[in-house]
Amino acid sequence: MAVLQPEENTHFGRASRHIRLQTIVWLRWLAVVGQTATILIVAFGLNFPLPLLTCAILIGALAVANLFLSARFPSTYRLDPWEATLLLAFDLLQLTALIYITGGLSNPFAPLICVQVIIAFASQPLKHSLILLVFALVCASAIAFSPFPVPWYPGEVLPIQMIIHVGIWCSIVAMMLFAAFYAYRVSHEANQLADALAATELVLEREKHLSQLDGLAAAAAHELGTPLATISVVAKEMERELGHDERFREDVALLRSQSQRCRDILRRLTSLSAEGEEHLRKLPLSSLIEEVVAPHREFGIKLRLIEKSSRSDEPVGARNAGIIYGLGNLIENAVDYANELVTITVEHDSQRVKVMIEDDGHGYAPDILARIGEPYVTKRQNEARAGGLGLGLFIAKTLLERSGATLSFENRGPHAAGARVTVVWPRDIMDARASNDALTL
């Protein structure tokens, strides 16, 4: 079965790491409003002494930088990783300076220094995020040495012991590291899933395109029939008029024979499409399995097909490229890892349709078995014979589950080496005769 090559897919992840400038601008305006409100409440609401001019300069610098970016770049502009890192570093420096002059670690807003790090790890590549993390750790350490007291009631000093300062610094660092790791993992998994689903849609579209080629051939045959008929008539007239002329007789005869040959080819295409239309539209389960198995018979691995149920009452449904691709990928995976034999067992009853694929290879390693179906899982045991991006099994599982199937992955057990994949559908989903609204094969 066809799988996406690395060059066709790797751009997804890189594109998703380009954060929009407008997002940074909105976050900055939120910071400007929040910082201004906090300063006004502390200075005029609580009447705590504050270096108002310095605070205004720092907040104004952030606002001016925001206005410059809004005027210089369109709102749809996307920042490359280095640009985003520099902007976040500037924001972090501004916030660090504001906290430094308002009490340092004693300031209850000191943990906000983690915000830019979380944004970086959620939206930027790991290398750039780590650079910002190191800078944030330096800033957190710098505010620990702030000589400025935390704003408090006039004439009173808020006593904070050194051990409290150390504890606050440790908590900020711990929160920064934990939040950064959590944001990166969640973002990374979301990007992987989005990329894999995009690849799944691409594969499904390709399979649908192949299924539509029969209809395109019939349409081409129909459209070409009229001009070829005209050519044939003209060739016949030319043969009547020039057939006795030795200079043109062979050429005219060749022209007529070749036009007739083209008409015969188009007639066969049209008849094949008309005769095969019903076969392609309504596909019995046995024909479906044979179509899936056939491409994998020539790879030196024996394929054994076991049909436990009679064909007389087998499901007959409409052709579905997703199911054909999904089952084909599972069989291809079994062939890749089998030593000598792959067994496909098919059975059905009035309630369900079951397809079981078994190989005699090494089976799934315990750590891989726990992650089966996740994108970018590329191997079973310690070697990766098939290579690739590890999307094949994820795509197959996704397409089959979309068709209504339930999948289970397991090893065959202590008495039989190899892996086993079981795919089960409700009978009414696979059998178009059971329900007019059923999903298609």
Side-chain angles (χ1 to χ4, degrees):
M1 303 297 292
V3 293
L4 291 179
Q5 296 301 315
E7 62 268 21
E8 293 181 284
N9 184 59
T10 51
H11 72 279
F12 290 131
R14 290 198 298 268
S16 65
R17 292 290 182 176
H18 286 217
I19 190 171
R20 201 158 59 106
L21 175 62
Q22 191 64 33
T23 302
I24 296 292
V25 169
W26 287 342
L27 290 174
R28 280 182 160 191
W29 284 125
L30 184 61
V32 168
V33 172
Q35 291 173 7
T36 302
T38 302
I39 294 298
L40 293 177
I41 291 173
V42 172
F44 301 104
L46 300 176
N47 293 319
F48 290 171
L50 273 176
L52 290 176
L53 179 60
T54 308
C55 291
I57 291 174
L58 290 173
I59 297 174
L62 186 60
V64 169
N66 229 19
L67 291 173
F68 171 78
L69 290 175
S70 299
R72 177 67 177 80
F73 299 98
S75 59
T76 56
Y77 181 76
R78 289 192 175 273
L79 302 166
D80 67 39
W82 281 116
E83 291 173 335
T85 302
L86 289 175
L87 289 181
L88 291 172
F90 176 83
D91 296 348
L92 180 60
L93 186 62
Q94 186 266 351
L95 180 61
T96 299
L98 194 60
I99 293 175
Y100 185 84
I101 64 173
T102 55
L105 290 180
S106 302
N107 190 320
F109 294 98
L112 289 176
I113 204 171
C114 302
V115 171
Q116 282 76 22
V117 176
I118 297 172
I119 294 174
F121 275 89
S123 62
Q124 299 305 304
L126 184 59
K127 179 179 71 173
H128 302 79
S129 302
L130 289 174
I131 292 174
L132 191 68
L133 174 63
V134 172
F135 182 62
L137 292 175
V138 172
C139 291
S141 301
I143 62 175
F145 297 96
S146 171
F148 299 96
V150 64
W152 200 241
Y153 294 104
E156 297 184 23
V157 177
L158 182 64
I160 299 179
Q161 301 296 324
M162 180 58 67
I163 190 66
I164 299 297
H165 275 151
V166 174
I168 294 174
W169 183 86
C170 290
S171 67
I172 290 176
V173 171
M175 180 171 62
M176 192 179 298
L177 295 175
F178 174 80
F181 174 78
Y182 181 81
Y184 174 76
R185 286 304 306 171
V186 170
S187 174
H188 182 66
E189 291 176 6
N191 284 329
Q192 278 194 329
L193 185 60
D195 293 348
L197 288 174
T200 303
E201 296 294 340
L202 182 59
V203 167
L204 187 56
E205 286 301 316
R206 287 179 176 178
E207 293 297 315
K208 289 181 178 178
H209 175 70
L210 292 176
S211 300
Q212 293 167 353
L213 288 180
D214 178 75
L216 293 175
H222 177 74
E223 293 296 328
L224 291 173
T226 300
L228 278 173
T230 303
I231 293 173
S232 180
V233 171
V234 173
K236 190 180 297 183
E237 292 295 328
M238 292 176 64
E239 185 178 31
R240 184 184 307 118
E241 297 293 333
L242 304 174
H244 303 290
D245 191 329
E246 293 294 334
R247 294 175 300 170
F248 304 109
R249 184 175 61 185
E250 291 185 2
D251 291 338
V252 171
L254 179 63
L255 175 62
R256 184 179 177 188
S257 66
Q258 292 303 308
S259 64
Q260 184 61 41
R261 182 185 176 192
C262 289
R263 294 185 67 185
D264 291 340
I265 292 173
L266 292 180
R267 188 181 299 113
R268 286 199 298 271
L269 282 175
T270 306
S271 63
L272 283 174
S273 176
E275 293 169 0
E277 184 178 357
E278 183 64 21
H279 167 72
L280 291 174
R281 199 159 47 86
K282 296 292 185 181
L283 196 62
L285 179 62
S286 57
S287 299
L288 167 71
I289 298 300
E290 182 57 36
E291 181 175 343
V292 170
V293 171
H296 307 286
R297 294 189 186 278
E298 306 299 328
F299 293 95
I301 299 296
K302 182 180 179 182
L303 295 178
R304 182 172 65 187
L305 179 60
I306 301 175
E307 297 185 63
K308 290 188 174 182
S309 307
S310 171
R311 291 190 178 185
S312 60
D313 64 338
E314 67 177 335
V316 178
R319 183 187 184 88
N320 182 295
I323 292 181
I324 293 174
Y325 179 89
L327 287 178
N329 196 284
L330 294 179
I331 294 176
E332 180 186 32
N333 188 64
V335 169
D336 285 340
Y337 288 95
N339 293 324
E340 298 178 353
L341 176 67
V342 172
T343 304
I344 300 101
T345 305
V346 182
E347 59 180 308
H348 54 82
D349 54 30
S350 61
Q351 300 296 323
R352 64 175 188 165
V353 176
K354 178 180 176 182
V355 177
M356 186 166 61
I357 303 168
E358 299 174 297
D359 64 68
D360 61 349
H362 296 291
Y364 298 109
D367 59 324
I368 297 299
L369 190 59
R371 298 170 53 217
I372 285 293
E374 292 183 13
Y376 309 103
V377 176
T378 60
K379 55 186 178 181
R380 285 194 184 180
Q381 297 283 0
N382 294 327
E383 78 284 346
R385 287 195 278 174
L389 294 176
L391 283 176
L393 193 58
F394 170 83
I395 292 174
K397 183 174 182 290
T398 300
L399 292 176
L400 291 171
E401 287 179 340
R402 284 185 177 183
S403 72
T406 301
L407 283 78
S408 62
F409 299 84
E410 59 186 345
N411 290 320
R412 296 175 66 186
H415 303 296
R420 176 187 296 126
V421 182
T422 305
V423 188
V424 179
W425 291 270
R427 172 70 182 240
D428 60 352
I429 287 181
M430 293 291 280
D431 196 346
R433 297 172 301 187
S435 173
N436 292 330
D437 297 326
L439 293 179
T440 57
L441 275 182

